[in-house]
Amino acid sequence: MFQTGVLIVFYGLLAQIMAQFGGLPVPLDQALPLTVNPPLPLSPTGLAGSLTNALSNGLLSGGLLGILENLPLLDILKPGGGTSGGLLGGLLGKVTSVIPGLNIIDIKVTDPQLLELGLVQSPDGHRLYVTIPLGINLQVNTPLVGANLLRLAVKLNITAEILAVRDKQGRIHLVLGDCTHSPGSLHISLLDGLGPLPIQGLLDSLTGILNKVLPELVQGKVCPLVNEVLSGLDVTLAHDIANMLIHGLQFVIKV
């Protein structure tokens, strides 16, 4: 009688378990899940790294280097091209005093570069700031064959703000906020120059005008591309990041 009672209790418990899990017994070595919540996104380091990699690859595949190489510097810096007096008008007097008859200065952009992107999250966790460091060389030529006046190295940072918004249907997605050049990030240095010319005077004049026009010129060309890359991010990556930003969760590691 005792054994029969034990068997009745055992089979009763087994029946309840099988009913609960659709009639399928659970293997003894498989632990049951405690929750049914969806899996968490990538780790903070992985999520931030995936974003910077995606943005960097998107900028390059979107033609960033070609955009930099084809900056219309000469057109903008000519007299009447958007600056007071223009670059040519300001420099020509200094150059012609040394080389009579010189009446053209050509500026060519070479060696465009995209350096490593930086990523910072706002203190409230709802915004991201992506630093996009760019580098180009400027070659200032005379109409004389093989005569270079100056070669300059230029570094400039563009900072793009990324926000998460929720549309009328309740879906969240990433959008580009402010996108501008970082104040004080423009650096111009002399790579080499033609010895007999008044290099310092030319460099000072050129640097002064480039400081006024180059940051806004680069910003106007690069920021629309950043917006395109952002809108074309992988759906899962964009959703995970937007979800973190909407809830103000920190996922960018502070360094």
Side-chain angles (χ1 to χ4, degrees):
M1 292 293 293
F2 175 78
Q3 292 180 349
T4 302
V6 170
L7 288 176
I8 293 173
V9 172
F10 171 78
Y11 283 113
L13 292 174
L14 181 60
Q16 292 179 9
I17 294 173
M18 293 177 66
Q20 181 177 357
F21 293 99
L24 296 176
V26 180
L28 296 178
D29 58 347
Q30 180 178 340
L32 295 177
L34 297 178
T35 64
V36 292
N37 292 331
L40 293 175
L42 294 171
S43 67
T45 303
L47 196 59
S50 295
L51 175 61
T52 54
N53 287 338
L55 290 174
S56 181
N57 292 335
L59 289 171
L60 292 174
S61 62
L64 173 64
L65 300 186
I67 289 174
L68 295 177
E69 197 166 18
N70 292 286
L71 288 173
L73 277 176
L74 189 60
D75 292 338
I76 288 180
L77 297 177
K78 283 179 180 178
T83 65
S84 57
L87 171 64
L88 299 185
L91 294 182
L92 192 55
K94 298 179 180 180
V95 178
T96 53
S97 65
V98 178
I99 307 177
L102 183 62
N103 56 10
I104 297 176
I105 295 179
D106 182 30
I107 301 178
K108 183 179 180 181
V109 178
T110 63
D111 194 24
Q113 299 178 43
L114 171 64
L115 306 177
E116 185 176 355
L117 272 60
L119 187 64
V120 176
Q121 193 168 2
S122 63
D124 63 7
H126 293 297
R127 290 174 173 82
L128 294 176
Y129 298 97
V130 182
T131 301
I132 306 170
L134 307 170
I136 58 174
N137 289 343
L138 298 181
Q139 182 174 302
V140 183
N141 299 329
T142 75
L144 304 176
V145 177
N148 301 331
L149 293 179
L150 298 171
R151 288 184 65 245
L152 306 175
V154 178
K155 305 293 183 184
L156 176 65
N157 292 344
I158 299 295
T159 299
E161 179 188 39
I162 298 179
L163 309 170
V165 298
R166 193 184 301 273
D167 60 23
K168 295 180 179 179
Q169 288 74 36
R171 298 170 298 189
I172 56 176
H173 54 93
L174 298 175
V175 298
L176 180 65
D178 290 336
C179 182
T180 184
H181 57 278
S182 304
S185 70
L186 178 63
H187 295 285
I188 303 174
S189 57
L190 178 66
L191 291 175
D192 57 58
L194 197 60
L197 294 179
I199 294 300
Q200 192 58 52
L202 286 171
L203 182 60
D204 291 344
S205 298
L206 185 58
T207 300
I209 294 179
L210 288 175
N211 270 304
K212 294 179 181 178
V213 300
L214 188 57
E216 291 187 5
L217 174 61
V218 174
Q219 170 188 325
K221 298 290 185 179
V222 173
C223 287
L225 178 59
V226 176
N227 190 43
E228 290 180 17
V229 173
L230 191 63
S231 64
L233 283 180
D234 175 79
V235 174
T236 301
L237 175 63
H239 178 270
D240 288 346
I241 292 172
N243 187 60
M244 299 285 278
L245 293 178
I246 282 287
H247 294 93
L249 302 176
Q250 290 288 337
F251 67 96
V252 178
I253 304 236
K254 297 180 180 179
V255 294

